[in-house]
Structure formats: structure tokens, C-alpha cells
Amino acid sequence: MSRIICNPLPLPYRYQAKHDGKGGAAMFREAADPTLIRFKSHYLLFVSMSGGFWYSQDLAEWHFKETP
């Protein structure tokens, strides 16, 4: 194998700001509960609150597909 793939993957996660009503806020990364499946020649990665999914043929290069 000529490449090493490790976790975490460098995916462009979305962030959510939570305001406490008192002028304070906290940022949370939205990409929990990952599920990876293989479908034909692709890997599909689904995570919570992402607005879509990522797909890859080699587990190294990922592409995002937004879903309605």
C-alpha cells in the first residue's frame, strides 16, 4: 500500500453556533454518528446534520454531495 489513511479525515465539517441568550455562544461541529457503507465501487459516508453525504472511491479523496 502506497498511502496511509487515518482518522480524522480532512472533511469540511459544518459548524453550528448555539447562543445562550445572555450574549454568549459556543460552536459545535456537526458531523457526529458517522456511518460508512460500500455501494458498488464507491464508499458513502453519512454523518448527522451535514446536509448531504461524502463519497469516495479510494477512502482518501472525498467529495461532498448536498441533498435536499
Side-chain angles (χ1 to χ4, degrees):
M1 177 182 253
S2 62
R3 282 202 246 182
I4 296 174
I5 302 167
C6 68
N7 186 17
L9 295 172
L11 300 176
Y13 295 111
R14 295 180 182 206
Y15 289 85
Q16 180 182 141
K18 292 283 188 176
H19 301 280
D20 64 7
K22 301 175 186 173
M27 297 295 291
F28 297 95
R29 185 169 67 177
E30 295 182 345
D33 312 316
T35 299
L36 178 72
I37 63 169
R38 183 170 173 98
F39 179 72
K40 298 185 180 181
S41 64
H42 284 83
Y43 295 94
L44 306 174
L45 176 63
F46 301 91
V47 298
S48 298
M49 307 294 291
S50 67
F53 64 93
W54 284 269
Y55 62 95
S56 173
Q57 288 187 327
D58 60 7
L59 294 174
E61 185 176 333
W62 291 89
H63 307 278
F64 185 71
K65 174 66 177 168
E66 189 172 352
T67 55

Short mmCIF file of all heavy atoms in Angstrom, two decimals:
data_model
loop_
_atom_site.label_atom_id
_atom_site.label_comp_id
_atom_site.label_asym_id
_atom_site.label_seq_id
_atom_site.Cartn_x
_atom_site.Cartn_y
_atom_site.Cartn_z
N MET A 1 0.86 -1.18 0.00
CA MET A 1 0.00 0.00 0.00
C MET A 1 0.90 1.23 0.00
O MET A 1 1.79 1.37 0.82
CB MET A 1 -0.91 -0.03 1.22
CG MET A 1 -1.78 1.19 1.34
SD MET A 1 -2.80 1.17 2.82
CE MET A 1 -4.36 0.86 2.07
N SER A 2 0.62 2.14 -0.90
CA SER A 2 1.47 3.33 -1.02
C SER A 2 0.96 4.52 -0.23
O SER A 2 1.64 5.53 -0.14
CB SER A 2 1.59 3.72 -2.49
OG SER A 2 0.33 4.06 -3.01
N ARG A 3 -0.24 4.44 0.34
CA ARG A 3 -0.80 5.56 1.11
C ARG A 3 -1.24 5.09 2.48
O ARG A 3 -1.67 3.96 2.65
CB ARG A 3 -2.02 6.13 0.41
CG ARG A 3 -1.70 7.01 -0.74
CD ARG A 3 -2.88 7.90 -0.98
NE ARG A 3 -3.47 7.58 -2.26
CZ ARG A 3 -4.49 8.21 -2.75
NH1 ARG A 3 -5.07 9.16 -2.08
NH2 ARG A 3 -4.98 7.90 -3.91
N ILE A 4 -1.14 6.00 3.42
CA ILE A 4 -1.66 5.74 4.76
C ILE A 4 -2.85 6.66 4.96
O ILE A 4 -2.76 7.87 4.74
CB ILE A 4 -0.60 6.00 5.83
CG1 ILE A 4 0.56 5.02 5.66
CG2 ILE A 4 -1.21 5.89 7.23
CD1 ILE A 4 1.72 5.29 6.56
N ILE A 5 -3.97 6.10 5.38
CA ILE A 5 -5.19 6.87 5.62
C ILE A 5 -5.50 6.76 7.11
O ILE A 5 -5.48 5.67 7.67
CB ILE A 5 -6.37 6.32 4.79
CG1 ILE A 5 -6.01 6.36 3.30
CG2 ILE A 5 -7.64 7.10 5.07
CD1 ILE A 5 -6.94 5.57 2.43
N CYS A 6 -5.74 7.90 7.74
CA CYS A 6 -6.00 7.86 9.17
C CYS A 6 -7.22 8.71 9.52
O CYS A 6 -7.71 9.49 8.72
CB CYS A 6 -4.78 8.33 9.94
SG CYS A 6 -4.43 10.07 9.70
N ASN A 7 -7.67 8.53 10.72
CA ASN A 7 -8.78 9.29 11.25
C ASN A 7 -8.19 10.39 12.12
O ASN A 7 -7.28 10.12 12.88
CB ASN A 7 -9.65 8.35 12.08
CG ASN A 7 -10.92 9.00 12.55
OD1 ASN A 7 -11.31 10.02 12.04
ND2 ASN A 7 -11.54 8.40 13.54
N PRO A 8 -8.59 11.61 12.07
CA PRO A 8 -9.78 12.07 11.35
C PRO A 8 -9.49 12.40 9.88
O PRO A 8 -8.37 12.76 9.52
CB PRO A 8 -10.18 13.34 12.09
CG PRO A 8 -8.89 13.88 12.60
CD PRO A 8 -8.04 12.67 12.91
N LEU A 9 -10.50 12.25 9.08
CA LEU A 9 -10.40 12.64 7.67
C LEU A 9 -10.49 14.15 7.56
O LEU A 9 -11.22 14.78 8.31
CB LEU A 9 -11.55 12.00 6.87
CG LEU A 9 -11.55 10.50 6.78
CD1 LEU A 9 -12.84 10.01 6.13
CD2 LEU A 9 -10.35 10.00 6.01
N PRO A 10 -9.80 14.74 6.62
CA PRO A 10 -9.85 16.19 6.46
C PRO A 10 -11.08 16.65 5.68
O PRO A 10 -11.01 17.14 4.56
CB PRO A 10 -8.55 16.49 5.69
CG PRO A 10 -8.35 15.27 4.86
CD PRO A 10 -8.83 14.12 5.71
N LEU A 11 -12.25 16.45 6.27
CA LEU A 11 -13.50 16.83 5.62
C LEU A 11 -13.92 18.23 6.08
O LEU A 11 -13.71 18.59 7.23
CB LEU A 11 -14.61 15.83 5.96
CG LEU A 11 -14.36 14.39 5.54
CD1 LEU A 11 -15.49 13.50 6.03
CD2 LEU A 11 -14.19 14.27 4.04
N PRO A 12 -14.55 18.99 5.20
CA PRO A 12 -15.01 20.34 5.57
C PRO A 12 -16.30 20.27 6.38
O PRO A 12 -17.39 20.41 5.86
CB PRO A 12 -15.22 21.02 4.23
CG PRO A 12 -15.57 19.90 3.30
CD PRO A 12 -14.79 18.71 3.79
N TYR A 13 -16.17 20.03 7.67
CA TYR A 13 -17.33 19.93 8.54
C TYR A 13 -18.07 21.26 8.63
O TYR A 13 -17.48 22.31 8.49
CB TYR A 13 -16.92 19.55 9.97
CG TYR A 13 -16.31 18.18 10.08
CD1 TYR A 13 -14.97 18.03 10.38
CD2 TYR A 13 -17.07 17.04 9.89
CE1 TYR A 13 -14.40 16.78 10.49
CE2 TYR A 13 -16.52 15.79 10.01
CZ TYR A 13 -15.19 15.66 10.31
OH TYR A 13 -14.63 14.43 10.44
N ARG A 14 -19.35 21.19 8.90
CA ARG A 14 -20.13 22.39 9.17
C ARG A 14 -20.10 22.66 10.68
O ARG A 14 -19.90 21.76 11.47
CB ARG A 14 -21.58 22.19 8.72
CG ARG A 14 -21.71 22.03 7.24
CD ARG A 14 -23.16 21.85 6.89
NE ARG A 14 -23.27 21.64 5.46
CZ ARG A 14 -24.34 21.94 4.77
NH1 ARG A 14 -25.40 22.44 5.36
NH2 ARG A 14 -24.37 21.71 3.48
N TYR A 15 -20.30 23.91 11.02
CA TYR A 15 -20.32 24.31 12.43
C TYR A 15 -21.64 24.99 12.76
O TYR A 15 -22.24 25.62 11.91
CB TYR A 15 -19.15 25.25 12.76
CG TYR A 15 -17.83 24.55 12.75
CD1 TYR A 15 -17.12 24.37 11.58
CD2 TYR A 15 -17.30 24.03 13.92
CE1 TYR A 15 -15.90 23.71 11.57
CE2 TYR A 15 -16.09 23.38 13.93
CZ TYR A 15 -15.40 23.22 12.74
OH TYR A 15 -14.20 22.56 12.75
N GLN A 16 -22.07 24.84 13.99
CA GLN A 16 -23.32 25.42 14.45
C GLN A 16 -23.04 26.26 15.69
O GLN A 16 -22.36 25.80 16.61
CB GLN A 16 -24.29 24.28 14.80
CG GLN A 16 -25.62 24.74 15.29
CD GLN A 16 -26.50 23.56 15.67
OE1 GLN A 16 -27.19 23.65 16.66
NE2 GLN A 16 -26.48 22.47 14.94
N ALA A 17 -23.54 27.49 15.69
CA ALA A 17 -23.39 28.36 16.86
C ALA A 17 -24.63 28.23 17.74
O ALA A 17 -25.75 28.32 17.26
CB ALA A 17 -23.20 29.79 16.42
N LYS A 18 -24.41 28.01 19.00
CA LYS A 18 -25.50 27.95 19.98
C LYS A 18 -25.37 29.17 20.88
O LYS A 18 -24.34 29.35 21.52
CB LYS A 18 -25.42 26.68 20.83
CG LYS A 18 -25.71 25.41 20.07
CD LYS A 18 -27.18 25.25 19.83
CE LYS A 18 -27.45 23.88 19.25
NZ LYS A 18 -28.83 23.61 19.09
N HIS A 19 -26.40 30.00 20.92
CA HIS A 19 -26.40 31.20 21.75
C HIS A 19 -27.15 30.91 23.05
O HIS A 19 -28.18 30.25 23.05
CB HIS A 19 -27.04 32.35 20.99
CG HIS A 19 -26.32 32.66 19.71
ND1 HIS A 19 -25.17 33.42 19.67
CD2 HIS A 19 -26.57 32.29 18.44
CE1 HIS A 19 -24.74 33.51 18.43
NE2 HIS A 19 -25.58 32.82 17.65
N ASP A 20 -26.63 31.43 24.14
CA ASP A 20 -27.24 31.15 25.45
C ASP A 20 -28.26 32.21 25.87
O ASP A 20 -28.81 32.13 26.96
CB ASP A 20 -26.16 30.99 26.52
CG ASP A 20 -25.36 32.26 26.76
OD1 ASP A 20 -25.70 33.32 26.19
OD2 ASP A 20 -24.38 32.20 27.52
N GLY A 21 -28.51 33.22 25.05
CA GLY A 21 -29.49 34.25 25.39
C GLY A 21 -28.91 35.35 26.28
O GLY A 21 -29.59 36.32 26.59
N LYS A 22 -27.67 35.20 26.70
CA LYS A 22 -27.03 36.19 27.57
C LYS A 22 -25.83 36.82 26.88
O LYS A 22 -24.96 37.39 27.53
CB LYS A 22 -26.58 35.52 28.87
CG LYS A 22 -27.70 34.89 29.66
CD LYS A 22 -27.16 34.15 30.86
CE LYS A 22 -28.27 33.40 31.56
NZ LYS A 22 -27.76 32.55 32.63
N GLY A 23 -25.75 36.69 25.57
CA GLY A 23 -24.64 37.26 24.82
C GLY A 23 -23.50 36.29 24.59
O GLY A 23 -22.54 36.61 23.90
N GLY A 24 -23.58 35.10 25.16
CA GLY A 24 -22.53 34.10 24.97
C GLY A 24 -22.92 33.11 23.89
O GLY A 24 -24.10 32.94 23.58
N ALA A 25 -21.94 32.48 23.32
CA ALA A 25 -22.19 31.48 22.28
C ALA A 25 -21.11 30.41 22.34
O ALA A 25 -20.02 30.63 22.84
CB ALA A 25 -22.22 32.12 20.91
N ALA A 26 -21.44 29.25 21.82
CA ALA A 26 -20.50 28.15 21.71
C ALA A 26 -20.62 27.57 20.31
O ALA A 26 -21.69 27.60 19.71
CB ALA A 26 -20.79 27.08 22.75
N MET A 27 -19.52 27.08 19.79
CA MET A 27 -19.51 26.48 18.46
C MET A 27 -19.43 24.96 18.60
O MET A 27 -18.66 24.45 19.41
CB MET A 27 -18.31 26.97 17.65
CG MET A 27 -18.32 28.46 17.37
SD MET A 27 -19.66 28.99 16.32
CE MET A 27 -19.21 28.26 14.78
N PHE A 28 -20.23 24.27 17.80
CA PHE A 28 -20.24 22.82 17.80
C PHE A 28 -20.05 22.32 16.38
O PHE A 28 -20.66 22.82 15.45
CB PHE A 28 -21.56 22.28 18.34
CG PHE A 28 -21.81 22.65 19.77
CD1 PHE A 28 -22.56 23.76 20.09
CD2 PHE A 28 -21.26 21.89 20.79
CE1 PHE A 28 -22.80 24.11 21.41
CE2 PHE A 28 -21.48 22.23 22.11
CZ PHE A 28 -22.25 23.34 22.42
N ARG A 29 -19.22 21.31 16.22
CA ARG A 29 -19.01 20.70 14.91
C ARG A 29 -20.16 19.74 14.64
O ARG A 29 -20.55 18.97 15.50
CB ARG A 29 -17.69 19.94 14.90
CG ARG A 29 -17.34 19.39 13.55
CD ARG A 29 -15.95 18.90 13.51
NE ARG A 29 -15.79 17.73 14.36
CZ ARG A 29 -14.66 17.06 14.46
NH1 ARG A 29 -13.61 17.46 13.81
NH2 ARG A 29 -14.58 16.03 15.24
N GLU A 30 -20.72 19.81 13.44
CA GLU A 30 -21.85 18.96 13.08
C GLU A 30 -21.37 17.83 12.19
O GLU A 30 -21.32 17.95 10.99
CB GLU A 30 -22.90 19.77 12.33
CG GLU A 30 -23.55 20.83 13.16
CD GLU A 30 -24.61 21.58 12.39
OE1 GLU A 30 -24.67 21.47 11.16
OE2 GLU A 30 -25.39 22.27 13.03
N ALA A 31 -21.01 16.74 12.76
CA ALA A 31 -20.61 15.58 11.98
C ALA A 31 -20.51 14.36 12.89
O ALA A 31 -19.55 13.62 12.84
CB ALA A 31 -19.30 15.82 11.26
N ALA A 32 -21.50 14.18 13.70
CA ALA A 32 -21.48 13.06 14.64
C ALA A 32 -22.09 11.82 14.00
O ALA A 32 -22.68 11.87 12.94
CB ALA A 32 -22.27 13.44 15.89
N ASP A 33 -21.93 10.72 14.68
CA ASP A 33 -22.56 9.46 14.31
C ASP A 33 -22.25 9.02 12.88
O ASP A 33 -23.15 8.77 12.08
CB ASP A 33 -24.08 9.54 14.50
CG ASP A 33 -24.48 10.11 15.83
OD1 ASP A 33 -23.88 9.69 16.83
OD2 ASP A 33 -25.38 10.94 15.88
N PRO A 34 -20.97 8.93 12.49
CA PRO A 34 -20.66 8.57 11.11
C PRO A 34 -21.06 7.14 10.77
O PRO A 34 -20.95 6.24 11.60
CB PRO A 34 -19.14 8.73 11.03
CG PRO A 34 -18.68 8.54 12.43
CD PRO A 34 -19.77 9.08 13.30
N THR A 35 -21.54 6.96 9.56
CA THR A 35 -21.86 5.65 9.02
C THR A 35 -21.23 5.55 7.65
O THR A 35 -21.46 6.40 6.79
CB THR A 35 -23.38 5.44 8.91
OG1 THR A 35 -23.95 5.55 10.21
CG2 THR A 35 -23.71 4.09 8.32
N LEU A 36 -20.44 4.52 7.43
CA LEU A 36 -19.76 4.32 6.15
C LEU A 36 -20.28 3.03 5.54
O LEU A 36 -20.32 1.99 6.20
CB LEU A 36 -18.25 4.21 6.36
CG LEU A 36 -17.42 3.95 5.12
CD1 LEU A 36 -17.38 5.19 4.24
CD2 LEU A 36 -16.03 3.52 5.49
N ILE A 37 -20.69 3.10 4.27
CA ILE A 37 -21.11 1.90 3.56
C ILE A 37 -20.41 1.84 2.21
O ILE A 37 -20.01 2.86 1.66
CB ILE A 37 -22.65 1.84 3.38
CG1 ILE A 37 -23.14 3.00 2.51
CG2 ILE A 37 -23.37 1.81 4.69
CD1 ILE A 37 -24.57 2.86 2.08
N ARG A 38 -20.25 0.65 1.72
CA ARG A 38 -19.71 0.47 0.37
C ARG A 38 -20.87 0.15 -0.55
O ARG A 38 -21.67 -0.75 -0.27
CB ARG A 38 -18.69 -0.65 0.34
CG ARG A 38 -18.06 -0.80 -1.02
CD ARG A 38 -16.88 -1.76 -0.98
NE ARG A 38 -16.42 -2.01 -2.32
CZ ARG A 38 -15.39 -1.38 -2.89
NH1 ARG A 38 -14.72 -0.48 -2.21
NH2 ARG A 38 -15.04 -1.65 -4.12
N PHE A 39 -20.98 0.88 -1.65
CA PHE A 39 -22.02 0.66 -2.64
C PHE A 39 -21.36 0.59 -4.01
O PHE A 39 -20.81 1.58 -4.49
CB PHE A 39 -23.06 1.79 -2.61
CG PHE A 39 -24.16 1.61 -3.61
CD1 PHE A 39 -25.13 0.64 -3.44
CD2 PHE A 39 -24.21 2.42 -4.73
CE1 PHE A 39 -26.14 0.48 -4.37
CE2 PHE A 39 -25.21 2.26 -5.67
CZ PHE A 39 -26.18 1.29 -5.49
N LYS A 40 -21.36 -0.60 -4.57
CA LYS A 40 -20.68 -0.85 -5.85
C LYS A 40 -19.22 -0.44 -5.73
O LYS A 40 -18.49 -0.99 -4.91
CB LYS A 40 -21.42 -0.19 -7.00
CG LYS A 40 -22.84 -0.73 -7.17
CD LYS A 40 -23.52 -0.16 -8.37
CE LYS A 40 -24.92 -0.76 -8.48
NZ LYS A 40 -25.64 -0.26 -9.64
N SER A 41 -18.76 0.54 -6.50
CA SER A 41 -17.34 0.92 -6.47
C SER A 41 -17.07 2.14 -5.60
O SER A 41 -15.97 2.69 -5.64
CB SER A 41 -16.85 1.19 -7.89
OG SER A 41 -17.54 2.31 -8.43
N HIS A 42 -18.05 2.60 -4.81
CA HIS A 42 -17.88 3.80 -4.01
C HIS A 42 -18.11 3.53 -2.52
O HIS A 42 -18.85 2.62 -2.16
CB HIS A 42 -18.88 4.89 -4.44
CG HIS A 42 -18.51 5.56 -5.71
ND1 HIS A 42 -18.80 5.03 -6.93
CD2 HIS A 42 -17.86 6.72 -5.94
CE1 HIS A 42 -18.36 5.85 -7.88
NE2 HIS A 42 -17.77 6.88 -7.30
N TYR A 43 -17.48 4.35 -1.72
CA TYR A 43 -17.75 4.39 -0.29
C TYR A 43 -18.62 5.62 -0.05
O TYR A 43 -18.35 6.69 -0.59
CB TYR A 43 -16.46 4.51 0.52
CG TYR A 43 -15.58 3.31 0.38
CD1 TYR A 43 -14.57 3.27 -0.58
CD2 TYR A 43 -15.76 2.20 1.21
CE1 TYR A 43 -13.75 2.16 -0.71
CE2 TYR A 43 -14.94 1.08 1.07
CZ TYR A 43 -13.95 1.07 0.12
OH TYR A 43 -13.15 -0.02 -0.02
N LEU A 44 -19.65 5.47 0.76
CA LEU A 44 -20.56 6.57 1.10
C LEU A 44 -20.47 6.81 2.59
O LEU A 44 -20.60 5.88 3.39
CB LEU A 44 -21.99 6.23 0.70
CG LEU A 44 -22.20 5.81 -0.75
CD1 LEU A 44 -23.63 5.35 -0.96
CD2 LEU A 44 -21.84 6.92 -1.70
N LEU A 45 -20.26 8.07 2.97
CA LEU A 45 -20.12 8.44 4.38
C LEU A 45 -21.24 9.39 4.75
O LEU A 45 -21.38 10.47 4.16
CB LEU A 45 -18.77 9.12 4.61
CG LEU A 45 -18.50 9.66 6.01
CD1 LEU A 45 -18.48 8.52 7.03
CD2 LEU A 45 -17.19 10.42 6.03
N PHE A 46 -22.05 8.97 5.70
CA PHE A 46 -23.18 9.77 6.18
C PHE A 46 -22.91 10.18 7.62
O PHE A 46 -22.51 9.36 8.44
CB PHE A 46 -24.47 8.95 6.13
CG PHE A 46 -24.81 8.45 4.76
CD1 PHE A 46 -24.38 7.21 4.33
CD2 PHE A 46 -25.57 9.22 3.89
CE1 PHE A 46 -24.68 6.73 3.07
CE2 PHE A 46 -25.88 8.76 2.62
CZ PHE A 46 -25.43 7.51 2.20
N VAL A 47 -23.12 11.46 7.93
CA VAL A 47 -22.96 11.96 9.29
C VAL A 47 -24.15 12.84 9.65
O VAL A 47 -24.78 13.42 8.77
CB VAL A 47 -21.64 12.73 9.48
CG1 VAL A 47 -20.44 11.83 9.24
CG2 VAL A 47 -21.59 13.94 8.59
N SER A 48 -24.43 12.97 10.92
CA SER A 48 -25.56 13.78 11.39
C SER A 48 -25.39 15.24 11.02
O SER A 48 -24.27 15.77 11.05
CB SER A 48 -25.68 13.69 12.91
OG SER A 48 -25.95 12.37 13.29
N MET A 49 -26.47 15.89 10.69
CA MET A 49 -26.54 17.34 10.49
C MET A 49 -25.61 17.86 9.40
O MET A 49 -25.16 18.99 9.45
CB MET A 49 -26.20 18.06 11.80
CG MET A 49 -27.01 17.64 12.99
SD MET A 49 -28.74 18.06 12.86
CE MET A 49 -28.66 19.82 12.98
N SER A 50 -25.32 17.07 8.37
CA SER A 50 -24.37 17.51 7.35
C SER A 50 -25.04 18.12 6.12
O SER A 50 -24.38 18.78 5.34
CB SER A 50 -23.49 16.34 6.91
OG SER A 50 -24.27 15.37 6.25
N GLY A 51 -26.32 17.85 5.90
CA GLY A 51 -26.99 18.37 4.72
C GLY A 51 -26.61 17.64 3.45
O GLY A 51 -26.79 18.15 2.35
N GLY A 52 -26.05 16.45 3.59
CA GLY A 52 -25.65 15.67 2.44
C GLY A 52 -24.79 14.50 2.87
O GLY A 52 -24.87 14.05 4.01
N PHE A 53 -23.95 14.02 1.96
CA PHE A 53 -23.06 12.91 2.27
C PHE A 53 -21.78 13.06 1.47
O PHE A 53 -21.70 13.80 0.51
CB PHE A 53 -23.73 11.56 1.99
CG PHE A 53 -24.06 11.34 0.54
CD1 PHE A 53 -23.18 10.69 -0.31
CD2 PHE A 53 -25.26 11.78 0.01
CE1 PHE A 53 -23.49 10.48 -1.65
CE2 PHE A 53 -25.59 11.58 -1.32
CZ PHE A 53 -24.70 10.94 -2.15
N TRP A 54 -20.74 12.35 1.91
CA TRP A 54 -19.47 12.33 1.20
C TRP A 54 -19.35 11.00 0.48
O TRP A 54 -19.84 9.99 0.95
CB TRP A 54 -18.30 12.49 2.17
CG TRP A 54 -18.12 13.88 2.67
CD1 TRP A 54 -17.33 14.85 2.11
CD2 TRP A 54 -18.72 14.49 3.80
NE1 TRP A 54 -17.42 16.01 2.84
CE2 TRP A 54 -18.27 15.81 3.89
CE3 TRP A 54 -19.62 14.03 4.78
CZ2 TRP A 54 -18.66 16.67 4.88
CZ3 TRP A 54 -20.02 14.89 5.77
CH2 TRP A 54 -19.54 16.20 5.82
N TYR A 55 -18.64 10.99 -0.65
CA TYR A 55 -18.39 9.75 -1.37
C TYR A 55 -16.94 9.70 -1.83
O TYR A 55 -16.30 10.72 -2.04
CB TYR A 55 -19.37 9.57 -2.54
CG TYR A 55 -19.28 10.64 -3.60
CD1 TYR A 55 -18.49 10.44 -4.74
CD2 TYR A 55 -19.99 11.83 -3.47
CE1 TYR A 55 -18.41 11.43 -5.71
CE2 TYR A 55 -19.90 12.81 -4.45
CZ TYR A 55 -19.12 12.60 -5.57
OH TYR A 55 -19.03 13.58 -6.53
N SER A 56 -16.44 8.47 -1.96
CA SER A 56 -15.05 8.26 -2.32
C SER A 56 -14.90 6.92 -3.02
O SER A 56 -15.67 5.99 -2.74
CB SER A 56 -14.18 8.27 -1.06
OG SER A 56 -12.84 7.92 -1.37
N GLN A 57 -13.91 6.80 -3.88
CA GLN A 57 -13.59 5.50 -4.48
C GLN A 57 -12.38 4.86 -3.80
O GLN A 57 -12.18 3.66 -3.93
CB GLN A 57 -13.31 5.65 -5.97
CG GLN A 57 -14.55 5.94 -6.77
CD GLN A 57 -14.29 5.91 -8.27
OE1 GLN A 57 -13.21 6.26 -8.73
NE2 GLN A 57 -15.29 5.50 -9.01
N ASP A 58 -11.60 5.66 -3.08
CA ASP A 58 -10.35 5.13 -2.52
C ASP A 58 -10.17 5.39 -1.02
O ASP A 58 -9.12 5.07 -0.47
CB ASP A 58 -9.16 5.70 -3.27
CG ASP A 58 -9.08 7.22 -3.19
OD1 ASP A 58 -9.88 7.85 -2.45
OD2 ASP A 58 -8.22 7.79 -3.88
N LEU A 59 -11.15 5.97 -0.36
CA LEU A 59 -11.11 6.30 1.07
C LEU A 59 -10.11 7.41 1.40
O LEU A 59 -9.91 7.73 2.56
CB LEU A 59 -10.80 5.08 1.94
CG LEU A 59 -11.87 3.99 1.95
CD1 LEU A 59 -11.37 2.78 2.74
CD2 LEU A 59 -13.17 4.51 2.54
N ALA A 60 -9.48 8.00 0.40
CA ALA A 60 -8.52 9.07 0.63
C ALA A 60 -9.04 10.41 0.10
O ALA A 60 -8.92 11.43 0.77
CB ALA A 60 -7.19 8.74 -0.01
N GLU A 61 -9.61 10.41 -1.09
CA GLU A 61 -10.15 11.63 -1.69
C GLU A 61 -11.67 11.59 -1.59
O GLU A 61 -12.30 10.67 -2.09
CB GLU A 61 -9.74 11.72 -3.15
CG GLU A 61 -10.17 13.01 -3.81
CD GLU A 61 -9.66 13.13 -5.23
OE1 GLU A 61 -8.63 12.54 -5.56
OE2 GLU A 61 -10.34 13.82 -6.01
N TRP A 62 -12.24 12.60 -0.90
CA TRP A 62 -13.68 12.63 -0.63
C TRP A 62 -14.33 13.81 -1.33
O TRP A 62 -13.74 14.87 -1.45
CB TRP A 62 -13.92 12.73 0.87
CG TRP A 62 -13.53 11.47 1.57
CD1 TRP A 62 -12.31 11.15 2.08
CD2 TRP A 62 -14.37 10.35 1.81
NE1 TRP A 62 -12.32 9.91 2.62
CE2 TRP A 62 -13.58 9.38 2.48
CE3 TRP A 62 -15.70 10.05 1.54
CZ2 TRP A 62 -14.09 8.15 2.87
CZ3 TRP A 62 -16.20 8.83 1.92
CH2 TRP A 62 -15.39 7.89 2.59
N HIS A 63 -15.57 13.61 -1.77
CA HIS A 63 -16.37 14.63 -2.42
C HIS A 63 -17.71 14.73 -1.71
O HIS A 63 -18.28 13.71 -1.31
CB HIS A 63 -16.60 14.29 -3.91
CG HIS A 63 -15.33 14.01 -4.62
ND1 HIS A 63 -14.52 15.01 -5.11
CD2 HIS A 63 -14.72 12.85 -4.91
CE1 HIS A 63 -13.47 14.47 -5.68
NE2 HIS A 63 -13.57 13.15 -5.56
N PHE A 64 -18.22 15.94 -1.56
CA PHE A 64 -19.49 16.16 -0.86
C PHE A 64 -20.62 16.30 -1.86
O PHE A 64 -20.50 16.97 -2.87
CB PHE A 64 -19.41 17.43 0.00
CG PHE A 64 -20.63 17.65 0.84
CD1 PHE A 64 -20.89 16.85 1.93
CD2 PHE A 64 -21.53 18.65 0.52
CE1 PHE A 64 -22.02 17.05 2.71
CE2 PHE A 64 -22.65 18.87 1.29
CZ PHE A 64 -22.90 18.07 2.39
N LYS A 65 -21.73 15.64 -1.56
CA LYS A 65 -22.95 15.76 -2.36
C LYS A 65 -24.05 16.28 -1.45
O LYS A 65 -24.46 15.61 -0.51
CB LYS A 65 -23.33 14.39 -2.94
CG LYS A 65 -24.66 14.36 -3.66
CD LYS A 65 -24.62 15.19 -4.91
CE LYS A 65 -25.94 15.08 -5.64
NZ LYS A 65 -26.09 16.06 -6.68
N GLU A 66 -24.50 17.52 -1.72
CA GLU A 66 -25.58 18.10 -0.93
C GLU A 66 -26.90 17.43 -1.30
O GLU A 66 -27.13 17.12 -2.46
CB GLU A 66 -25.66 19.60 -1.20
CG GLU A 66 -26.59 20.34 -0.27
CD GLU A 66 -26.50 21.84 -0.46
OE1 GLU A 66 -25.62 22.31 -1.19
OE2 GLU A 66 -27.34 22.52 0.14
N THR A 67 -27.73 17.21 -0.31
CA THR A 67 -29.05 16.62 -0.55
C THR A 67 -30.13 17.56 -0.05
O THR A 67 -29.94 18.24 0.95
CB THR A 67 -29.19 15.26 0.14
OG1 THR A 67 -28.90 15.41 1.53
CG2 THR A 67 -28.24 14.23 -0.44
N PRO A 68 -31.26 17.59 -0.76
CA PRO A 68 -32.35 18.50 -0.33
C PRO A 68 -33.02 18.01 0.96
O PRO A 68 -32.96 16.88 1.30
CB PRO A 68 -33.32 18.45 -1.49
CG PRO A 68 -32.97 17.28 -2.31
CD PRO A 68 -31.57 16.89 -1.97
#
